């Protein structure tokens, strides 16, 4: 599809950011940092909290609880209005959005960051979608530790998912049980997105913890015992916007939604193949730069480059992997030390310091962000 250039100007623009996750918050914080008062911000999100999802892989093993941040507090720090509601449709010609409850909101610029919808693929498996399933995983983990469940399989039955948390769950389980553990994946190699080097490292770590790895699995024929499985991700349809076959929104390199004026998208809702917070945050930064430049800020937008920055918790140790997904030959770089700064689990240039500031104000420590 032909790429459009950055639009005319957005000075004084009312920017509606739909979503309350990594991409939405990163876009909003980055936009405020880059454009200051040149834009007026409104966040539209269905629930009033931001959940720090990476912690969900530790909760089942008696580690940290998943922390939640009040979107109202974050919005206040941003000088943004928070509107509770769920984006249902966009009417680009009128520059308005509608919510599922019939509310109509005008916008000059819209950022769609509504994430992906996780659905179960394997029947009879416990599908791990994140914080909401942590207690159920905890119950299986306890049963396994007491010898009531054996053996246990962790499954990645689709490539359209968040694969890395499943590996982290496997290492977490190994820390509390010595029962047989298998990690079965459709990927041709463990943690395919991490590149050759990252994947080899991960494979060696799995072997060292006696976690059996089976790759290239065809799940119809795979005999499963008790299984914890990754979900399949789909985009939830937003009427008025284009979508690919899986419901994801196609964008150009600056985050503009193809064929729709003044509408950008970032994060898991877009048609990027790999879904990860570092990519969501990177896209959000590009979108913020594009809008800030058009609003008159002294910023030159740089096209989005999908560089994965992942911290993978492998039991008592972690590996940090950086890989340029735009270069199929990039083997990836692996280190036992942070490869970027701040050493955030979610790589979000603007969001991580904002969360750390809220945590500091409430005198609680924010695991890994600072
Ligand atoms: C257990 C687990 C651990 C993970 N660990 C990591 C990690 O360590 N590092 C990492 O980088 N990534 C991690 N990921 C992946 C990461 O969470 C996602 O890639 C990232 O959150 C995507 O950001 P997003 O803003 O696009 O979507 P989300 O963070 O999912 O946010 C979507 C937001 O949009 C809101 N929303 C939904 N529908 C609508 C609507 N119609 N209108 C308005 N708002 C709407 C939602 O309520 C939510 O606030 C993990 C995922 C899981 C499940």
């Amino acid at each position: 599809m032909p790429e459009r250039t950055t639009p005319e100007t957005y000075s004084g623009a009312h920017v509606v950011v739909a979503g309350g996750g990594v991409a939405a918050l990163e876009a909003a914080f980055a936009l405020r940092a880059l454009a200051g008062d040149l834009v007026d911000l409104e966040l539209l999100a269905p629930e009033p909290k931001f959940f720090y999802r990476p912690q969900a892989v530790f909760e089942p093993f008696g580690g940290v609880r998943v922390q939640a941040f009040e979107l109202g507090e974050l919005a206040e720090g941003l000088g943004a209005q928070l509107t509770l509601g769920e984006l249902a449709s966009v009417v680009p010609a009128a520059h308005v959005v509608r919510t599922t409850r019939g509310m109509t909101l005008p916008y000059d610029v819209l950022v769609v960051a509504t994430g992906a919808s996780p659905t179960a693929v394997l029947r009879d498996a416990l599908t791990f979608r994140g914080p909401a399933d942590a207690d159920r995983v905890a119950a299986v983990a306890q049963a396994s530790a007491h010898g009531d469940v054996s053996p246990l399989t962790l499954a990645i039955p689709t490539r359209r998912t968040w694969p890395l948390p499943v590996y982290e769950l496997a290492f977490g389980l190994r820390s509390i049980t010595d029962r047989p553990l298998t990690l079965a994946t459709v990927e041709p190699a463990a943690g395919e997105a991490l590149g050759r080097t990252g994947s080899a490292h991960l494979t060696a770590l799995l072997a060292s913890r006696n976690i059996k790895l089976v790759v290239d699995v065809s799940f119809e024929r795979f005999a499963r015992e008790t299984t914890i499985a990754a979900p399949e991700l789909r985009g939830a349809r937003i009427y008025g916007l284009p979508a690919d076959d899986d419901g994801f929104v196609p964008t150009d390199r600056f985050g503009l939604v193809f064929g729709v004026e003044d509408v950008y998208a970032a994060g898991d809702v877009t048609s990027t193949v790999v879904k990860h917070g570092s990519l969501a945050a990177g896209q959000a930064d590009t979108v913020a730069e594009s809008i800030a430049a058009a609003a008159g800020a002294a910023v030159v937008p740089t096209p989005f480059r999908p560089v994965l920055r992942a911290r993978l918790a492998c039991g008592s140790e972690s590996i940090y992997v950086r890989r340029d997904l735009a270069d199929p030959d990039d083997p990836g770089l692996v280190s036992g030390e942070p490869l970027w700064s701040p050493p955030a689990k979610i790589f979000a240039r603007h969001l991580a310091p904002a969360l750390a500031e809220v945590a500091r104000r409430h005198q609680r420590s924010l695991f890994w962000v600072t």
Side-chain angles (χ1 to χ4, degrees):
M1 259 186 262
E3 197 170 285
R4 289 183 294 146
T5 49
T6 309
E8 343 55 80
T9 54
Y10 289 146
S11 192
H14 181 64
V15 181
V16 173
V17 180
V22 176
L25 291 172
E26 176 69 8
F29 276 103
L31 192 51
R32 182 58 85 217
L34 297 172
D37 293 341
L38 292 170
V39 294
D40 163 43
L41 282 168
E42 179 174 3
L43 279 178
L44 172 68
E47 54 182 344
K49 289 185 192 298
F50 166 73
F51 292 95
Y52 193 52
R53 207 184 261 166
Q55 293 172 326
V57 299
F58 303 101
E59 200 172 310
F61 315 111
V64 290
R65 298 289 296 175
V66 172
Q67 290 191 33
F69 292 81
E70 295 295 331
L71 283 183
E73 190 174 353
L74 291 166
E76 197 184 321
L78 261 173
Q81 179 188 334
L82 172 64
T83 302
L84 289 180
E86 197 171 345
L87 175 67
S89 61
V90 182
V91 189
H95 275 59
V96 295
V97 296
R98 298 220 168 87
T99 68
T100 48
R101 297 203 164 184
M103 193 167 41
T104 300
L105 304 176
Y107 68 83
D108 294 312
V109 187
L110 172 66
V111 180
V112 178
T114 48
S117 305
T119 51
V121 202
L122 297 184
R123 269 187 299 146
D124 306 329
L126 190 175
T127 300
F128 178 63
R129 295 159 300 174
D133 297 311
D135 286 347
R136 293 200 302 147
V137 174
V140 174
Q142 283 311 315
S144 175
H146 294 130
D148 302 337
V149 172
S150 180
L152 195 58
T153 298
L154 290 119
I156 302 174
T158 167
R159 280 173 137 136
R160 220 181 307 110
T161 191
W162 302 295
L164 300 182
V166 179
Y167 290 95
E168 294 181 304
L169 279 185
F171 288 110
L173 276 162
R174 177 49 82 225
S175 69
I176 62 160
T177 175
D178 55 6
R179 307 278 156 188
L181 277 182
T182 300
L183 198 143
T185 176
V186 289
E187 301 163 294
E192 181 187 14
L194 303 176
R196 277 195 311 282
T197 310
S199 177
H201 218 90
L202 180 57
T203 303
L205 278 169
L206 289 167
S208 73
R209 306 291 153 84
N210 197 21
I211 299 170
K212 184 179 168 196
L213 173 68
V214 192
V215 297
D216 262 331
V217 174
S218 164
F219 277 88
E220 300 80 55
R221 279 184 265 123
F222 189 73
R224 297 188 303 273
E225 309 292 337
T226 303
T227 302
I228 299 173
E232 180 156 88
L233 301 180
R234 293 190 180 277
R237 188 91 178 92
I238 298 162
Y239 293 94
L241 296 186
D244 65 20
D245 291 346
D246 300 311
F248 296 113
V249 176
T251 56
D252 69 13
R253 292 181 309 147
F254 291 93
L256 270 166
V257 175
F258 279 121
V260 190
E261 293 288 311
D262 304 327
V263 178
Y264 294 78
D268 285 357
V269 71
T270 66
S271 33
T272 49
V273 178
V274 178
K275 308 292 185 196
H276 192 254
S278 61
L279 303 172
Q283 285 178 301
D285 287 341
T286 297
V287 165
E289 286 175 6
S290 302
I291 299 171
V299 183
V300 178
T302 38
F304 172 62
R305 190 157 182 115
V307 178
L308 182 74
R309 295 172 174 88
R311 172 176 171 164
L312 199 64
C314 310
S316 53
E317 62 189 283
S318 290
I319 57 170
Y320 296 80
V321 183
R322 184 174 60 213
R323 184 181 175 222
D324 184 352
L325 302 178
D327 175 2
D329 296 325
D330 181 9
L333 186 63
V334 181
S335 172
E337 300 297 322
L339 288 166
W340 51 86
S341 179
K345 173 87 166 154
I346 289 179
F347 184 78
R349 208 167 4 139
H350 299 271
L351 172 59
L355 294 184
E357 168 57 22
V358 173
R360 192 192 56 74
R361 225 178 295 139
H362 291 279
Q363 299 187 332
R364 53 185 162 125
S365 71
L366 182 57
F367 189 60
W368 279 346
V369 159
T370 48

PDB file of all heavy atoms in Angstrom, residues 26-32 34-35 111 254 264 283-293 299:
ATOM      1  N   GLU A  26       2.249   5.019  26.937  1.00  0.00           N
ATOM      2  CA  GLU A  26       3.531   5.481  26.390  1.00  0.00           C
ATOM      3  C   GLU A  26       3.284   6.598  25.363  1.00  0.00           C
ATOM      4  O   GLU A  26       3.979   7.615  25.364  1.00  0.00           O
ATOM      5  CB  GLU A  26       4.281   4.309  25.754  1.00  0.00           C
ATOM      6  CG  GLU A  26       5.586   4.673  25.071  1.00  0.00           C
ATOM      7  CD  GLU A  26       6.712   5.098  26.018  1.00  0.00           C
ATOM      8  OE1 GLU A  26       6.549   4.983  27.251  1.00  0.00           O
ATOM      9  OE2 GLU A  26       7.754   5.557  25.510  1.00  0.00           O
ATOM     10  N   ALA A  27       2.271   6.425  24.498  1.00  0.00           N
ATOM     11  CA  ALA A  27       1.971   7.455  23.495  1.00  0.00           C
ATOM     12  C   ALA A  27       1.597   8.766  24.186  1.00  0.00           C
ATOM     13  O   ALA A  27       2.068   9.845  23.808  1.00  0.00           O
ATOM     14  CB  ALA A  27       0.838   6.993  22.579  1.00  0.00           C
ATOM     15  N   ALA A  28       0.757   8.665  25.210  1.00  0.00           N
ATOM     16  CA  ALA A  28       0.294   9.880  25.899  1.00  0.00           C
ATOM     17  C   ALA A  28       1.446  10.580  26.627  1.00  0.00           C
ATOM     18  O   ALA A  28       1.611  11.804  26.509  1.00  0.00           O
ATOM     19  CB  ALA A  28      -0.825   9.515  26.873  1.00  0.00           C
ATOM     20  N   PHE A  29       2.256   9.815  27.358  1.00  0.00           N
ATOM     21  CA  PHE A  29       3.381  10.447  28.080  1.00  0.00           C
ATOM     22  C   PHE A  29       4.402  11.021  27.093  1.00  0.00           C
ATOM     23  O   PHE A  29       4.940  12.109  27.297  1.00  0.00           O
ATOM     24  CB  PHE A  29       4.051   9.441  29.027  1.00  0.00           C
ATOM     25  CG  PHE A  29       3.350   9.326  30.353  1.00  0.00           C
ATOM     26  CD1 PHE A  29       2.533   8.237  30.626  1.00  0.00           C
ATOM     27  CD2 PHE A  29       3.490  10.302  31.327  1.00  0.00           C
ATOM     28  CE1 PHE A  29       1.860   8.135  31.841  1.00  0.00           C
ATOM     29  CE2 PHE A  29       2.827  10.207  32.544  1.00  0.00           C
ATOM     30  CZ  PHE A  29       2.008   9.118  32.803  1.00  0.00           C
ATOM     31  N   ALA A  30       4.675  10.275  26.028  1.00  0.00           N
ATOM     32  CA  ALA A  30       5.659  10.762  25.050  1.00  0.00           C
ATOM     33  C   ALA A  30       5.141  12.027  24.372  1.00  0.00           C
ATOM     34  O   ALA A  30       5.883  12.985  24.164  1.00  0.00           O
ATOM     35  CB  ALA A  30       5.946   9.676  24.016  1.00  0.00           C
ATOM     36  N   LEU A  31       3.858  12.023  24.060  1.00  0.00           N
ATOM     37  CA  LEU A  31       3.273  13.192  23.380  1.00  0.00           C
ATOM     38  C   LEU A  31       3.333  14.421  24.278  1.00  0.00           C
ATOM     39  O   LEU A  31       3.671  15.521  23.832  1.00  0.00           O
ATOM     40  CB  LEU A  31       1.833  12.854  22.986  1.00  0.00           C
ATOM     41  CG  LEU A  31       1.137  13.809  22.030  1.00  0.00           C
ATOM     42  CD1 LEU A  31       1.980  14.087  20.794  1.00  0.00           C
ATOM     43  CD2 LEU A  31      -0.201  13.211  21.614  1.00  0.00           C
ATOM     44  N   ARG A  32       3.007  14.253  25.542  1.00  0.00           N
ATOM     45  CA  ARG A  32       3.074  15.393  26.465  1.00  0.00           C
ATOM     46  C   ARG A  32       4.526  15.885  26.586  1.00  0.00           C
ATOM     47  O   ARG A  32       4.789  17.088  26.579  1.00  0.00           O
ATOM     48  CB  ARG A  32       2.519  14.986  27.837  1.00  0.00           C
ATOM     49  CG  ARG A  32       2.486  16.076  28.850  1.00  0.00           C
ATOM     50  CD  ARG A  32       1.646  17.303  28.410  1.00  0.00           C
ATOM     51  NE  ARG A  32       0.233  17.167  28.682  1.00  0.00           N
ATOM     52  CZ  ARG A  32      -0.736  17.631  27.874  1.00  0.00           C
ATOM     53  NH1 ARG A  32      -0.445  18.246  26.744  1.00  0.00           N
ATOM     54  NH2 ARG A  32      -2.014  17.476  28.198  1.00  0.00           N
ATOM     55  N   LEU A  34       6.905  15.612  24.365  1.00  0.00           N
ATOM     56  CA  LEU A  34       7.424  16.181  23.112  1.00  0.00           C
ATOM     57  C   LEU A  34       6.663  17.428  22.683  1.00  0.00           C
ATOM     58  O   LEU A  34       7.255  18.360  22.136  1.00  0.00           O
ATOM     59  CB  LEU A  34       7.336  15.140  21.975  1.00  0.00           C
ATOM     60  CG  LEU A  34       8.170  13.870  22.151  1.00  0.00           C
ATOM     61  CD1 LEU A  34       7.835  12.852  21.063  1.00  0.00           C
ATOM     62  CD2 LEU A  34       9.654  14.205  22.100  1.00  0.00           C
ATOM     63  N   ALA A  35       5.354  17.432  22.898  1.00  0.00           N
ATOM     64  CA  ALA A  35       4.531  18.525  22.353  1.00  0.00           C
ATOM     65  C   ALA A  35       4.059  19.501  23.421  1.00  0.00           C
ATOM     66  O   ALA A  35       3.537  20.575  23.092  1.00  0.00           O
ATOM     67  CB  ALA A  35       3.319  17.945  21.614  1.00  0.00           C
ATOM     68  N   VAL A 111      -5.585   8.137  18.520  1.00  0.00           N
ATOM     69  CA  VAL A 111      -4.586   7.066  18.624  1.00  0.00           C
ATOM     70  C   VAL A 111      -5.305   5.824  19.142  1.00  0.00           C
ATOM     71  O   VAL A 111      -5.883   5.850  20.229  1.00  0.00           O
ATOM     72  CB  VAL A 111      -3.439   7.446  19.600  1.00  0.00           C
ATOM     73  CG1 VAL A 111      -2.416   6.298  19.684  1.00  0.00           C
ATOM     74  CG2 VAL A 111      -2.757   8.746  19.177  1.00  0.00           C
ATOM     75  N   PHE A 254       4.950   5.242  10.225  1.00  0.00           N
ATOM     76  CA  PHE A 254       4.803   6.311  11.216  1.00  0.00           C
ATOM     77  C   PHE A 254       3.590   6.077  12.121  1.00  0.00           C
ATOM     78  O   PHE A 254       3.224   6.927  12.911  1.00  0.00           O
ATOM     79  CB  PHE A 254       4.705   7.672  10.521  1.00  0.00           C
ATOM     80  CG  PHE A 254       6.016   8.054   9.877  1.00  0.00           C
ATOM     81  CD1 PHE A 254       6.250   7.744   8.549  1.00  0.00           C
ATOM     82  CD2 PHE A 254       7.016   8.671  10.604  1.00  0.00           C
ATOM     83  CE1 PHE A 254       7.472   8.053   7.961  1.00  0.00           C
ATOM     84  CE2 PHE A 254       8.239   8.982  10.029  1.00  0.00           C
ATOM     85  CZ  PHE A 254       8.476   8.673   8.702  1.00  0.00           C
ATOM     86  N   TYR A 264      -4.114   7.138  14.132  1.00  0.00           N
ATOM     87  CA  TYR A 264      -2.885   6.358  14.311  1.00  0.00           C
ATOM     88  C   TYR A 264      -3.222   5.118  15.147  1.00  0.00           C
ATOM     89  O   TYR A 264      -4.236   5.095  15.860  1.00  0.00           O
ATOM     90  CB  TYR A 264      -1.838   7.174  15.087  1.00  0.00           C
ATOM     91  CG  TYR A 264      -1.317   8.389  14.351  1.00  0.00           C
ATOM     92  CD1 TYR A 264      -2.074   9.564  14.288  1.00  0.00           C
ATOM     93  CD2 TYR A 264      -0.073   8.367  13.727  1.00  0.00           C
ATOM     94  CE1 TYR A 264      -1.596  10.677  13.618  1.00  0.00           C
ATOM     95  CE2 TYR A 264       0.414   9.473  13.067  1.00  0.00           C
ATOM     96  CZ  TYR A 264      -0.351  10.633  13.005  1.00  0.00           C
ATOM     97  OH  TYR A 264       0.122  11.722  12.344  1.00  0.00           O
ATOM     98  N   GLN A 283       6.369   1.647  18.975  1.00  0.00           N
ATOM     99  CA  GLN A 283       5.386   2.186  18.031  1.00  0.00           C
ATOM    100  C   GLN A 283       4.736   3.443  18.597  1.00  0.00           C
ATOM    101  O   GLN A 283       4.511   4.418  17.887  1.00  0.00           O
ATOM    102  CB  GLN A 283       4.281   1.153  17.769  1.00  0.00           C
ATOM    103  CG  GLN A 283       4.690   0.013  16.871  1.00  0.00           C
ATOM    104  CD  GLN A 283       3.544  -0.966  16.729  1.00  0.00           C
ATOM    105  OE1 GLN A 283       3.064  -1.514  17.720  1.00  0.00           O
ATOM    106  NE2 GLN A 283       3.106  -1.192  15.516  1.00  0.00           N
ATOM    107  N   ALA A 284       4.434   3.386  19.892  1.00  0.00           N
ATOM    108  CA  ALA A 284       3.798   4.538  20.545  1.00  0.00           C
ATOM    109  C   ALA A 284       4.714   5.762  20.493  1.00  0.00           C
ATOM    110  O   ALA A 284       4.248   6.889  20.278  1.00  0.00           O
ATOM    111  CB  ALA A 284       3.458   4.186  21.990  1.00  0.00           C
ATOM    112  N   ASP A 285       6.003   5.556  20.665  1.00  0.00           N
ATOM    113  CA  ASP A 285       6.948   6.677  20.577  1.00  0.00           C
ATOM    114  C   ASP A 285       6.939   7.281  19.175  1.00  0.00           C
ATOM    115  O   ASP A 285       6.968   8.504  19.011  1.00  0.00           O
ATOM    116  CB  ASP A 285       8.367   6.211  20.947  1.00  0.00           C
ATOM    117  CG  ASP A 285       8.524   5.961  22.447  1.00  0.00           C
ATOM    118  OD1 ASP A 285       7.695   6.468  23.228  1.00  0.00           O
ATOM    119  OD2 ASP A 285       9.469   5.255  22.837  1.00  0.00           O
ATOM    120  N   THR A 286       6.908   6.424  18.156  1.00  0.00           N
ATOM    121  CA  THR A 286       6.867   6.923  16.775  1.00  0.00           C
ATOM    122  C   THR A 286       5.588   7.724  16.530  1.00  0.00           C
ATOM    123  O   THR A 286       5.618   8.797  15.921  1.00  0.00           O
ATOM    124  CB  THR A 286       6.926   5.729  15.777  1.00  0.00           C
ATOM    125  OG1 THR A 286       8.172   5.082  15.965  1.00  0.00           O
ATOM    126  CG2 THR A 286       6.793   6.185  14.347  1.00  0.00           C
ATOM    127  N   VAL A 287       4.467   7.191  17.001  1.00  0.00           N
ATOM    128  CA  VAL A 287       3.185   7.897  16.836  1.00  0.00           C
ATOM    129  C   VAL A 287       3.245   9.259  17.535  1.00  0.00           C
ATOM    130  O   VAL A 287       2.838  10.283  16.968  1.00  0.00           O
ATOM    131  CB  VAL A 287       2.026   7.036  17.403  1.00  0.00           C
ATOM    132  CG1 VAL A 287       0.763   7.850  17.603  1.00  0.00           C
ATOM    133  CG2 VAL A 287       1.765   5.848  16.486  1.00  0.00           C
ATOM    134  N   ALA A 288       3.786   9.267  18.752  1.00  0.00           N
ATOM    135  CA  ALA A 288       3.869  10.530  19.496  1.00  0.00           C
ATOM    136  C   ALA A 288       4.751  11.532  18.747  1.00  0.00           C
ATOM    137  O   ALA A 288       4.417  12.722  18.654  1.00  0.00           O
ATOM    138  CB  ALA A 288       4.429  10.271  20.898  1.00  0.00           C
ATOM    139  N   GLU A 289       5.856  11.060  18.190  1.00  0.00           N
ATOM    140  CA  GLU A 289       6.738  11.960  17.426  1.00  0.00           C
ATOM    141  C   GLU A 289       5.999  12.526  16.218  1.00  0.00           C
ATOM    142  O   GLU A 289       6.121  13.717  15.908  1.00  0.00           O
ATOM    143  CB  GLU A 289       7.983  11.198  16.946  1.00  0.00           C
ATOM    144  CG  GLU A 289       8.978  10.904  18.048  1.00  0.00           C
ATOM    145  CD  GLU A 289      10.150  10.038  17.577  1.00  0.00           C
ATOM    146  OE1 GLU A 289      10.252   9.752  16.354  1.00  0.00           O
ATOM    147  OE2 GLU A 289      10.946   9.646  18.434  1.00  0.00           O
ATOM    148  N   SER A 290       5.258  11.673  15.521  1.00  0.00           N
ATOM    149  CA  SER A 290       4.544  12.119  14.317  1.00  0.00           C
ATOM    150  C   SER A 290       3.525  13.194  14.675  1.00  0.00           C
ATOM    151  O   SER A 290       3.429  14.222  14.001  1.00  0.00           O
ATOM    152  CB  SER A 290       3.804  10.948  13.656  1.00  0.00           C
ATOM    153  OG  SER A 290       4.702   9.932  13.324  1.00  0.00           O
ATOM    154  N   ILE A 291       2.762  12.953  15.744  1.00  0.00           N
ATOM    155  CA  ILE A 291       1.718  13.921  16.128  1.00  0.00           C
ATOM    156  C   ILE A 291       2.373  15.208  16.646  1.00  0.00           C
ATOM    157  O   ILE A 291       1.944  16.320  16.299  1.00  0.00           O
ATOM    158  CB  ILE A 291       0.767  13.309  17.185  1.00  0.00           C
ATOM    159  CG1 ILE A 291       0.075  12.075  16.610  1.00  0.00           C
ATOM    160  CG2 ILE A 291      -0.257  14.338  17.649  1.00  0.00           C
ATOM    161  CD1 ILE A 291      -0.731  11.272  17.635  1.00  0.00           C
ATOM    162  N   ALA A 292       3.422  15.053  17.461  1.00  0.00           N
ATOM    163  CA  ALA A 292       4.095  16.241  18.023  1.00  0.00           C
ATOM    164  C   ALA A 292       4.671  17.107  16.908  1.00  0.00           C
ATOM    165  O   ALA A 292       4.551  18.343  16.931  1.00  0.00           O
ATOM    166  CB  ALA A 292       5.194  15.812  18.989  1.00  0.00           C
ATOM    167  N   ALA A 293       5.279  16.466  15.894  1.00  0.00           N
ATOM    168  CA  ALA A 293       5.863  17.230  14.784  1.00  0.00           C
ATOM    169  C   ALA A 293       4.772  18.011  14.058  1.00  0.00           C
ATOM    170  O   ALA A 293       4.935  19.198  13.752  1.00  0.00           O
ATOM    171  CB  ALA A 293       6.586  16.292  13.825  1.00  0.00           C
ATOM    172  N   VAL A 299      10.429  18.367  16.503  1.00  0.00           N
ATOM    173  CA  VAL A 299      10.719  16.924  16.520  1.00  0.00           C
ATOM    174  C   VAL A 299      10.715  16.420  15.079  1.00  0.00           C
ATOM    175  O   VAL A 299       9.854  16.820  14.301  1.00  0.00           O
ATOM    176  CB  VAL A 299       9.596  16.138  17.263  1.00  0.00           C
ATOM    177  CG1 VAL A 299       9.919  14.662  17.352  1.00  0.00           C
ATOM    178  CG2 VAL A 299       9.327  16.706  18.628  1.00  0.00           C
TER     179      VAL A 299
END
